[in-house]
């Protein structure tokens, strides 16, 4: 995914009165874990999967 796509997605989320984005990915997908961390997501919990959360301002 392109960063502009994600930025637009976050803008739509905010316009709809939301302030939190969550996603779950497989722990074995190291590239996706790194990408979501780079995008500002924080690990909320995880065992076999990683649950990420991002608070939008």
């Amino acid at each position: 995914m392109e960063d502009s796509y994600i930025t637009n997605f976050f803008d739509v989320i905010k316009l709809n009165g939301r302030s939190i984005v969550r996603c779950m990915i497989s722990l074995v997908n190291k590239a996706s874990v790194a990408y979501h961390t780079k995008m500002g997501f924080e690990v909320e919990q995880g065992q076999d999967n990683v649950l990420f959360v991002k608070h939008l301002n």
Side-chain angles (χ1 to χ4, degrees):
M1 274 188 249
E2 295 180 20
D3 289 347
S4 62
Y5 175 81
I6 296 296
T7 301
N8 289 337
F9 176 73
F10 290 159
D11 290 342
V12 170
I13 295 295
K14 288 189 268 186
L15 287 173
N16 283 282
R18 306 296 192 266
S19 62
I20 299 173
V21 177
R22 287 189 169 88
C23 63
M24 184 178 291
I25 60 171
S26 171
L27 188 57
V28 299
N29 191 343
K30 303 287 186 204
S32 188
V33 171
Y35 177 78
H36 284 84
T37 302
K38 178 183 170 190
M39 290 298 298
F41 284 85
E42 299 173 4
V43 175
E44 195 168 70
Q45 67 179 10
Q47 288 179 347
D48 294 335
N49 294 311
V50 178
L51 178 60
F52 282 102
V53 63
K54 180 172 177 72
H55 297 269
L56 305 175
N57 298 325

